[in-house]
Amino acid sequence: MKKKLAVILCLTLFTCAAVIGCGQNSETVENKDSNTAEAAHEKAAHESEQAMLEDGVYLAEFDTDSSMFHVSEACDGKGTLTVENGQMIIHVSLASQNIVNLYPGLAEDAQKEGAEILEPTVDSVTYSDGITEEVYGFDIPVPALDEEFDVALVGTKGTWYDHKVSVSNPEAMDESTDTATGEE
């Protein structure tokens, strides 16, 4: 009799554990589904925001993961974002002429034959104290707003480096806005 009672007790415990475990799994699945749905909603809202960005010229923030690769302080961390036929390109004036080429992608790919390397322009920036300096600027393709993307750079020493950049907060520019400083 004791053996039967022990077997029944074990079966009851096993059944309870299975029911509780299945309940937790369904909650986990529901949480995953709601997280996936939430992520999909955020992605759709982000894509909708980009789709609403009409052709035109905007002042936008350009952020990098490097203290050596950044927008000139005269430009307050911003560049000129041009949107044409759904394609976005940001022109940024860097802090110096030490970065000689950029590549929209990884350093490894930049060194392959046929890679389309971005050539610099010579930009003139004016600081708040009135001093003007010539720096390199680049037109960088922007795959998406508010998302990091890869940009490789090569400096005067000839070594390629990988960096993450992002473009955010586009504000429509009018003719009275100074593209080097964003001020009217």
Side-chain angles (χ1 to χ4, degrees):
M1 179 82 173
K2 288 183 181 180
K3 286 184 179 179
K4 282 185 181 178
L5 187 57
V7 169
I8 292 172
L9 184 58
C10 285
L11 287 174
T12 304
L13 288 172
F14 177 74
T15 304
C16 289
V19 168
I20 291 171
C22 288
Q24 288 177 342
N25 284 341
S26 67
E27 287 177 24
T28 303
V29 169
E30 287 175 19
N31 285 341
K32 285 182 182 176
D33 286 345
S34 90
N35 288 343
T36 302
E38 186 177 312
H41 176 68
E42 287 179 17
K43 183 177 179 182
H46 176 70
E47 289 172 355
S48 173
E49 176 187 318
Q50 286 185 345
M52 292 187 301
L53 200 56
E54 297 177 6
D55 285 4
V57 181
Y58 301 82
L59 194 62
E61 293 176 15
F62 182 80
D63 295 312
T64 73
D65 62 356
S66 172
S67 62
M68 300 300 288
F69 170 45
H70 59 88
V71 176
S72 169
E73 73 179 59
C75 301
D76 197 29
K78 298 181 180 181
T80 304
L81 179 69
T82 302
V83 180
E84 188 173 318
N85 298 323
Q87 301 295 310
M88 297 182 288
I89 295 177
I90 190 163
H91 181 84
V92 292
S93 299
L94 300 182
S96 68
Q97 292 184 354
N98 292 332
I99 296 173
V100 295
N101 292 113
L102 294 181
Y103 177 77
L106 298 172
E108 178 181 331
D109 296 328
Q111 298 173 67
K112 292 180 180 176
E113 187 173 328
E116 293 186 28
I117 305 299
L118 303 178
E119 298 292 330
T121 60
V122 177
D123 297 352
S124 181
V125 295
T126 303
Y127 297 94
S128 59
D129 62 3
I131 294 176
T132 300
E133 179 180 30
E134 287 188 345
V135 298
Y136 281 159
F138 290 90
D139 293 322
I140 304 169
V142 179
L145 295 175
D146 302 315
E147 293 179 16
E148 284 189 337
F149 57 96
D150 295 309
V151 173
L153 65 84
V154 64
T156 54
K157 294 182 181 178
T159 303
W160 283 95
Y161 297 96
D162 287 320
H163 289 285
K164 296 281 188 190
V165 302
S166 65
V167 176
S168 59
N169 300 322
E171 297 176 14
M173 292 176 51
D174 59 27
E175 295 81 34
S176 65
T177 304
D178 179 355
T179 58
T181 63
E183 297 177 3
E184 295 186 27

